[in-house]
Amino acid sequence: MFNKSKPFDNSPSSGMGIPPAPESAPAATPSVAPAAPRPTEPSRPAASSRSSSLSTLSSGVKYEGNISGAGELQVDGSLKGDIRVVRVTIGEGGSVEGTVHADVLDVRGRVSGAIVAKQVKLFATARIEGDITQEQLSIEQGAWFQGRCTQAKRDTPGASMLDAPEKPAALSAPKTDKTEAKPAL
């Protein structure tokens, strides 16, 4: 009733026990090949976007200069300079000497300088020397903080510090103060 072909027919017509290839096989092969890479394509950009959005200053690395961008920064080494990124995490062995501007800042290490962020978390191992301007502040027991703390909400005049970039003109302001101070002496 049913003529079912055997997968490995040893008859002389099939030759060496290999079934004959159907004529539609070459057309089917290209449709199968693109299907296999498709599942791996979405995972590759996701992995590369994760690695490109997080930058790490590894333990033992010393860096001098400013860092800015739209990504995330993990500081486990030593940084002398200003930081301006979306999210900053300073590890237990990490230290920053400069101003830190971020939306979210988690500190487990040291910061010597001003902090301007929307959300600041000081963990028990944190050591901060400088003023903090923030919307939300969390300080764990054991954290050390020397400086002033100013809460700046979106509707207050000080909140402009949270979004405004640093101006190079601010560097020239102390020079004008010094020249004004000399005639006053």
Side-chain angles (χ1 to χ4, degrees):
M1 287 182 48
F2 297 100
N3 288 336
K4 190 173 183 181
S5 62
K6 296 179 183 176
F8 295 101
D9 187 15
N10 289 331
S11 66
S13 63
S14 65
M16 305 291 288
I18 300 173
E23 292 180 2
S24 63
T29 303
S31 66
V32 173
R38 285 184 185 167
T40 58
E41 287 176 10
S43 65
R44 286 181 187 162
S48 65
S49 67
R50 270 188 244 126
S51 64
S52 67
S53 68
L54 175 65
S55 297
T56 303
L57 185 63
S58 299
S59 178
V61 175
K62 294 180 180 181
Y63 181 81
E64 290 188 26
N66 298 334
I67 297 176
S68 63
E72 300 178 15
L73 179 64
Q74 169 78 31
V75 179
D76 292 323
S78 175
L79 171 70
K80 284 187 180 184
D82 297 341
I83 299 173
R84 181 177 295 275
V85 296
V86 174
R87 182 180 183 101
V88 179
T89 302
I90 300 172
E92 285 188 32
S95 67
V96 175
E97 189 176 322
T99 303
V100 179
H101 280 264
D103 286 344
V104 179
L105 173 64
D106 295 336
V107 182
R108 290 179 174 84
R110 296 175 167 248
V111 176
S112 291
I115 294 173
V116 179
K118 293 178 184 174
Q119 180 182 13
V120 179
K121 290 182 185 177
L122 304 181
F123 292 86
T125 56
R127 183 171 175 87
I128 309 298
E129 296 180 52
D131 296 343
I132 299 175
T133 303
Q134 87 297 330
E135 284 184 22
Q136 298 174 356
L137 176 63
S138 170
I139 303 176
E140 282 187 359
Q141 185 175 357
W144 188 85
F145 169 59
Q146 178 69 42
R148 290 181 295 169
C149 176
T150 305
Q151 185 175 14
K153 297 207 178 224
R154 293 252 176 232
D155 54 349
T156 61
S160 62
M161 289 181 64
L162 295 173
D163 295 325
E166 291 183 36
K167 297 177 184 175
L171 297 175
S172 63
K175 291 179 184 176
T176 59
D177 291 340
K178 288 181 183 177
T179 56
E180 292 174 11
K182 287 181 182 178
L185 290 173

